[in-house]
Amino acid sequence: MTSREQQILEWIKQNPMITQNELAELAGITRSGVAAHISNLVKKGYIQGKGYVITPPKYVTVVGGINMDILGVSGTTVTNQSSYSGKIYTKLGGVGRNVAVNLSKLGVKPYFIAAYGDDRNGEIFKEDALANQIDISHAKQITNEPTSMYLFVNQPQGDRIVGIDDMDINNYITPQYLMGHEQTLNNSDLVIIDSNLPKRSIKWLYNHVTVPLFAKAVGINKMMNLYDGIDRLDTLVINALEATLLTKITIRDEATARQAADHLIDRGVTNVFIYIDEVGILYQNADQAVFFPDTEQDARNTNGAGASAVAALAWARLNHQDFRQTAMAGVAATYITTEADDAVNDRMSAQVLQHRQRALNN
């Protein structure tokens, strides 16, 4: 089997409903070229005739952003505008992509709707999706556009100093584009979105998605994209700064976090997950709440914690876990993530997550 045939076969395994046109777009070749590769796969016995179109498996659809992250970590605490020695890393990221990778590691099949460029970073994204068993047949590669990038600088202990994003490509995820994938969205067990999406697209999702809708707030400048229609959200994952600006309640501790969660629940959100740096994590709905004080003071990196939390909350929902177990899944995922340098910890798995859940319960 050639490398191209192997790649096409993997995409078919990920999404048995994929069309030859979609395969052609992913591979960057013509539809007739795809047909020739499929014919070869049939001849070699890897595909049984034209019978690879079958009922798709259970899955979660993620609609969100992809970034090439450029991270600078200072070697000493940054106190002014001077230059600092440190380390610079380039990693594939983006909230939507990180959620999808975490879901895959937890054994949940992710379909990922996103926009990415026809540059080298876009090719890296496709290779990464294939390696992590993420179905991107519904994602959109944009000609003559760069894949989005995110530049940020952290203190030695992992706290964010500043971030700058170049994510205009997400504007291609329009309501019209989403309309073409409405069946895929509503055949999902649930849908996860992030606030990198255009406001008009989030509004369309609020109005047309009929399955439970989870959301990850992303940054103080984009979280308001979620606000109009927020009562459609089953679950909102948000950090303390974002929740403070959204609710006008300054979050300093468990009590003020509960007040902010009450405000969001009054607005119609069913479940609220708020993480407060160096304080703790609150999971709350109209009937109950659980708070976990922060005991992980040696965090290496806070980037990706929220994405792992929303993936773990989705995993817990699909596994019919109760309220406290679900909260512990989200908390455990954030702790696992902060133990690694990358936004997604390679150690993430359902087994590791369950072990950390049990530790939190002791």
Side-chain angles (χ1 to χ4, degrees):
M1 191 189 327
T2 67
S3 59
R4 177 65 81 186
E5 289 167 358
Q6 184 176 12
Q7 186 179 51
I8 288 172
L9 181 61
E10 286 301 317
W11 281 325
I12 290 172
K13 288 179 179 178
Q14 288 178 20
N15 178 16
M17 296 292 290
I18 196 168
T19 66
Q20 290 187 3
N21 285 332
E22 289 170 333
L23 285 167
E25 185 175 353
L26 286 170
I29 59 178
T30 64
R31 190 203 62 77
S32 59
V34 168
H37 287 304
I38 290 176
S39 176
N40 289 336
L41 288 168
V42 171
K43 292 175 183 176
K44 294 175 182 179
Y46 293 103
I47 296 176
Q48 297 298 315
K50 296 183 179 179
Y52 65 84
V53 178
I54 60 174
T55 302
K58 295 172 73 67
Y59 61 92
V60 168
T61 299
V62 181
V63 190
I66 305 153
N67 297 318
M68 183 57 73
D69 290 338
I70 303 174
L71 165 63
V73 180
S74 178
T76 57
T77 301
V78 175
T79 57
N80 55 43
Q81 296 181 357
S82 299
S83 296
Y84 291 82
S85 297
K87 297 292 184 181
I88 297 175
Y89 306 92
T90 302
K91 301 284 186 181
L92 190 65
V95 174
R97 176 265 176 189
N98 293 343
V99 171
V101 174
N102 276 297
L103 285 170
S104 183
K105 288 182 176 295
L106 291 170
V108 178
K109 182 175 180 59
Y111 282 19
F112 188 23
I113 298 177
Y116 60 100
D118 62 352
D119 53 1
R120 175 55 187 155
N121 289 341
E123 295 304 309
I124 291 172
F125 163 67
K126 288 199 290 188
E127 294 165 5
D128 174 81
L130 187 63
N132 286 294
Q133 298 183 308
I134 299 169
D135 187 303
I136 60 169
S137 58
H138 303 288
K140 187 175 186 179
Q141 187 167 30
I142 310 300
T143 303
N144 298 324
E145 288 285 351
T147 302
S148 65
M149 301 184 73
Y150 181 45
L151 170 67
F152 58 107
V153 179
N154 282 1
Q155 296 281 17
Q157 65 273 26
D159 294 333
R160 183 74 39 80
I161 299 170
V162 67
I164 299 174
D165 65 64
D166 179 2
M167 302 182 183
D168 289 346
I169 198 169
N170 290 329
N171 290 325
Y172 286 93
I173 309 175
T174 63
Q176 292 75 22
Y177 183 70
L178 293 170
M179 194 179 304
H181 302 283
E182 186 170 356
Q183 183 175 356
T184 297
L185 288 161
N186 287 324
N187 283 339
S188 310
D189 287 303
L190 58 87
V191 171
I192 302 174
I193 65 174
D194 72 55
S195 62
N196 282 312
L197 299 172
K199 186 174 181 179
R200 66 188 186 281
S201 301
I202 292 175
K203 182 178 180 180
W204 185 93
L205 290 161
Y206 283 164
N207 290 333
H208 293 86
V209 170
T210 58
V211 298
L213 194 56
F214 288 37
K216 169 66 180 75
V218 184
I220 59 176
N221 294 323
K222 295 181 179 179
M223 65 177 183
M224 290 305 297
N225 290 347
L226 297 170
Y227 196 65
D228 292 337
I230 201 169
D231 59 300
R232 272 289 294 116
L233 291 180
D234 176 285
T235 299
L236 174 63
V237 174
I238 190 167
N239 69 30
L241 178 58
E242 293 160 349
T244 293
L245 294 172
L246 195 61
T247 65
K248 311 303 180 186
I249 298 170
T250 302
I251 298 176
R252 302 178 301 272
D253 50 24
E254 179 184 354
T256 50
R258 284 176 178 254
Q259 292 172 18
D262 283 337
H263 176 90
L264 292 167
I265 291 165
D266 287 343
R267 287 284 302 178
V269 182
T270 304
N271 301 288
V272 178
F273 184 97
I274 302 176
Y275 52 107
I276 315 154
D277 288 346
E278 299 181 356
V279 175
I281 296 174
L282 172 72
Y283 185 58
Q284 183 170 326
N285 64 20
D287 300 317
Q288 51 193 323
V290 59
F291 181 81
F292 295 87
D294 185 8
T295 59
E296 305 286 312
Q297 299 295 335
D298 58 346
R300 296 169 62 177
N301 168 44
T302 58
N303 184 39
S308 68
V310 73
L313 295 173
W315 170 86
R317 172 69 60 86
L318 297 178
N319 284 278
H320 310 291
Q321 298 200 346
D322 64 25
F323 182 85
R324 182 174 176 81
Q325 289 174 320
T326 300
M328 289 190 296
V331 174
T334 66
Y335 289 169
I336 293 167
T337 301
T338 59
E339 292 167 355
D341 292 323
D342 293 343
V344 178
N345 192 333
D346 284 340
R347 291 183 58 249
M348 181 67 76
S349 69
Q351 183 178 8
V352 170
L353 186 69
Q354 289 169 317
H355 175 76
R356 295 299 290 269
Q357 278 181 292
R358 290 191 292 270
L360 284 167
N361 205 33
N362 294 332

